[in-house]
Amino acid sequence: MLTPTPYLELEAVEVWLGPRRVFDDLSLQLHLGEHTVILGPNGSGKSSLIKLLSRELYPVVRPGSRLRIFGSETVNLWQLRGRIGLVSQDLQAGYVGRVPAADVVLSGFFGSVGIGRSQQPTLPQRQRVAELMEQLGLADLVERPYAQLSDGQRRRLLLARALVHNPEVLVLDEPTNGLDLQAKHQLLAILRQLAQSGTTLLLVTHQIEAILPEISRAVLLNQGRVVNDGPAAALLQDAPLSALFDTPLKVCTANGYRQVVPA
């Protein structure tokens, strides 16, 4: 049996966000080919974990502490953007209303928000954008200003942006937040196809209903600590979730998805 390849290794990591310590002595490994959910209540450190992976946050340098991404402690951001795609609420809020939809996707090649005058997309890049917009049901929105799009359309645009480099890992920060039922189900269906086609998914959420059937591992995070880590089938149950969210919950399942109701 092959040893799984880690794309993120945290060892005894301490992280501060301004005056607040987010993580103290956090250790965690995430592996290629293992679809994982990071689940926890608001304020548990989920977004900070994503920012460690995207290099927006850095841990305190101290003996015995280590952060490796794809096996290296030294990360080239341009290379990293080609291997890890990100869909986040912060990114969605960063685009101004007049940006054409196609430029949102194109900007993924440059790691920018929109396309500046100095950036000259190539023909292959434009062809890749057209392919992704067709694949995600966005082909008729190429020239539509960002402000005129629904939240569901914006989320799919950001997904297309994250996929321009065909990344090995796709990080999804609360991907279904604010979406109506149709948009949510459309997005989840696309994410399932990506999971089944070989893209490693890292889903970061507090919403149980957003957890895809393909997710095999659950990391339960609370107050900057991993309180449980193991098979999703074992941890996405009444007792672990009730303890995580500090409220009595009952898990109901249908078609591989889960919902929670008050116990």
Side-chain angles (χ1 to χ4, degrees):
M1 184 175 179
L2 293 175
T3 303
T5 303
Y7 62 88
L8 177 66
E9 299 170 85
L10 303 175
E11 185 178 335
V13 164
E14 178 182 348
V15 177
W16 291 74
L17 194 57
R20 183 171 65 91
R21 184 162 59 187
V22 183
F23 299 124
D24 180 24
D25 200 35
L26 176 67
S27 296
L28 179 68
Q29 283 195 9
L30 300 175
H31 304 104
L32 290 174
E34 183 178 59
H35 304 308
T36 303
V37 61
I38 307 292
L39 183 69
N42 291 335
S44 60
K46 302 187 303 297
S47 294
S48 295
L49 184 61
I50 291 177
K51 290 177 180 178
L52 278 176
L53 182 55
S54 64
R55 309 306 279 145
E56 295 174 67
L57 279 179
Y58 290 83
V60 174
V61 177
R62 65 181 188 181
S65 178
R66 198 166 284 108
L67 186 157
R68 293 191 186 96
I69 299 178
F70 292 107
S72 176
E73 294 184 39
T74 304
V75 177
N76 180 303
L77 285 178
W78 283 106
Q79 292 177 356
L80 186 63
R81 290 186 184 119
R83 303 186 74 178
I84 297 178
L86 173 65
V87 179
S88 72
Q89 301 283 324
D90 287 349
L91 190 57
Q92 179 169 324
Y95 284 87
V96 296
R98 64 180 180 275
V99 176
D103 282 3
V104 173
V105 185
L106 272 170
S107 65
F109 285 108
F110 304 98
S112 60
V113 177
I115 299 295
R117 292 182 179 179
S118 63
Q119 295 162 331
Q120 298 296 324
T122 64
L123 179 59
Q125 287 173 340
R126 292 190 179 278
Q127 290 173 335
R128 174 65 173 158
V129 167
E131 291 169 3
L132 285 168
M133 293 187 73
E134 179 71 33
Q135 178 184 338
L136 300 186
L138 301 165
D140 58 341
L141 303 177
V142 171
E143 298 297 332
R144 186 80 60 86
Y146 188 71
Q148 296 180 15
L149 302 176
S150 69
D151 280 341
Q153 290 167 334
R154 292 178 184 181
R155 208 67 51 83
R156 279 184 284 148
L157 269 185
L158 292 180
L159 178 57
R161 180 189 186 277
L163 294 173
V164 292
H165 293 294
N166 193 27
E168 297 164 72
V169 179
L170 182 61
V171 181
L172 304 149
D173 181 15
E174 302 288 4
T176 59
N177 261 15
L179 301 187
D180 63 28
L181 281 176
Q182 182 186 47
K184 180 185 294 187
H185 291 167
Q186 285 177 337
L187 183 63
L188 292 175
I190 293 168
L191 296 179
R192 292 195 69 182
Q193 291 172 1
L194 289 168
Q196 293 165 11
S197 66
T199 303
T200 299
L201 300 188
L202 176 61
L203 173 63
V204 181
T205 188
H206 67 276
Q207 298 183 332
I208 310 301
E209 66 272 15
I211 301 175
L212 306 169
E214 285 73 19
I215 296 290
S216 60
R217 177 184 174 191
V219 177
L220 308 189
L221 195 67
N222 199 6
Q223 296 181 348
R225 297 184 303 108
V226 174
V227 296
N228 228 325
D229 181 1
L235 295 185
L236 301 180
Q237 298 290 342
D238 301 358
L241 294 182
S242 296
L244 179 66
F245 290 99
D246 194 26
T247 189
L249 298 171
K250 180 175 178 56
V251 179
C252 307
T253 60
N255 300 325
Y257 285 96
R258 301 167 180 87
Q259 295 274 355
V260 291
V261 297

